[in-house]
Amino acid sequence: MLTRKQHELLLFIHERLKESGIPPSFDEMKEALNLASKSGIHRLITALEERGFIRRLPNRARALEVVRLPDSIAPGLNSQKKFSPSVIEGDLGKKNVTELPKKAAPAAESDAPAGISVPVMGRIAAGVPISAIQSQTHMITLPPEMLGSGEHYALEVKGDSMIEAGILDGDTVIIRRGDTANAGEIVVALVDDEEATLKRFRRKGASVALEAANPAYETRIFGPDRVRVQGKLVGLVRRY
């Protein structure tokens, strides 16, 4: 669940620590990843730290520790480390919410409604593009009338950036894949091919506005070439 650049930087830091025991400098990381400025490295470091892959040690210059690697590379390294992932902060209106009990008695076979399986693409933090998600964590079965046409996937959500729009910590949002949106629709927006966020889509002249539904978060304005829509929210599942 890392972008290509985040993945490359994590491996570069890991290999340097294995070789010398000293993390690379920002200049060395910038040169290794062929980036134009150290500000890009700072964003990548912050994203990796938020996702629990690295830790910055206080009061020490250039002090970085690799906490875990992606499971596809080093499953053994991660098996004994506790990880609490940060996830995308979402925004969804109160319509089209399905509330499911955590445990339900199985229905008789003749009474069981037909359902559609949708992949849950794990938990992601703001900053991870949807295209960077490599594998699903599990499937969720939803009623057909909740989805309609098109291809869908789901994301587990945590955060309060859209709490006034009716989305709660622990909800699962259902997203229909697509690259266009109308004003007022809630979308997964990819900013600068680096940062993904779930916000309400608006137009401000020639610019794009991504609105939160919490006064603690300000609306973010971008040029139209900086934002790509990755899908629209069409539903929400809540478990008790």
Side-chain angles (χ1 to χ4, degrees), residues 64-75:
L64 294 174
E65 176 187 10
V66 175
V67 178
R68 63 190 291 263
L69 293 175
D71 290 336
S72 59
I73 297 175

Side-chain angles (χ1 to χ4, degrees), residues 22-238:
I22 301 173
S25 68
F26 271 45
D27 284 325
E28 290 171 329
M29 289 186 274
K30 177 172 72 73
E31 182 177 350
L33 270 69
N34 195 28
L35 295 180
S37 69
K38 288 188 286 189
S39 62
I41 294 296
H42 177 74
R43 288 195 299 270
L44 293 172
I45 289 288
T46 300
L48 289 171
E49 185 178 27
E50 288 175 350
R51 286 153 187 76
F53 286 96
I54 65 172
R55 180 185 299 120
R56 280 188 271 202
L57 305 179
N59 304 319
R60 293 173 58 187
R62 287 177 54 178
L64 294 174
E65 176 187 10
V66 175
V67 178
R68 63 190 291 263
L69 293 175
D71 290 336
S72 59
I73 297 175
L77 179 65
N78 303 328
S79 60
Q80 297 181 358
K81 292 184 179 291
K82 184 178 180 181
F83 173 55
S84 177
S86 54
V87 301
I88 196 167
E89 293 180 346
D91 168 16
L92 187 64
K94 296 183 179 179
K95 295 182 179 180
N96 203 11
V97 175
T98 298
E99 298 182 350
L100 302 176
K102 287 185 177 179
K103 293 183 178 180
E109 183 175 351
S110 59
D111 297 330
I116 297 176
S117 293
V118 172
V120 179
M121 305 304 291
R123 292 186 169 188
I124 61 173
V128 179
I130 295 303
S131 58
I133 299 176
Q134 299 299 320
S135 60
Q136 68 194 44
T137 60
H138 58 283
M139 303 291 289
I140 186 171
T141 301
L142 301 172
E145 61 270 16
M146 185 177 183
L147 299 178
S149 61
E151 183 182 357
H152 298 79
Y153 60 92
L155 296 172
E156 295 179 354
V157 180
K158 183 179 181 181
D160 62 354
S161 69
M162 292 297 171
I163 194 169
E164 292 187 1
I167 197 166
L168 303 179
D169 182 63
D171 288 345
T172 298
V173 290
I174 312 304
I175 300 170
R176 179 182 296 124
R177 293 186 186 272
D179 57 8
T180 61
N182 298 319
E185 291 182 318
I186 301 159
V187 303
V188 174
L190 181 61
V191 180
D192 295 333
D193 288 331
E194 290 185 353
E195 175 189 353
T197 186
L198 197 62
K199 291 292 184 289
R200 195 176 298 278
F201 183 87
R202 301 285 188 190
R203 292 283 187 184
K204 297 290 185 181
S207 300
V208 172
L210 300 179
E211 290 184 353
N214 183 332
Y217 297 82
E218 63 182 20
T219 297
R220 302 172 65 190
I221 308 295
F222 301 95
D225 58 335
R226 296 182 59 193
V227 177
R228 290 195 291 119
V229 173
Q230 301 283 283
K232 303 178 187 178
L233 266 68
V234 297
L236 181 150
V237 174
R238 179 169 299 150

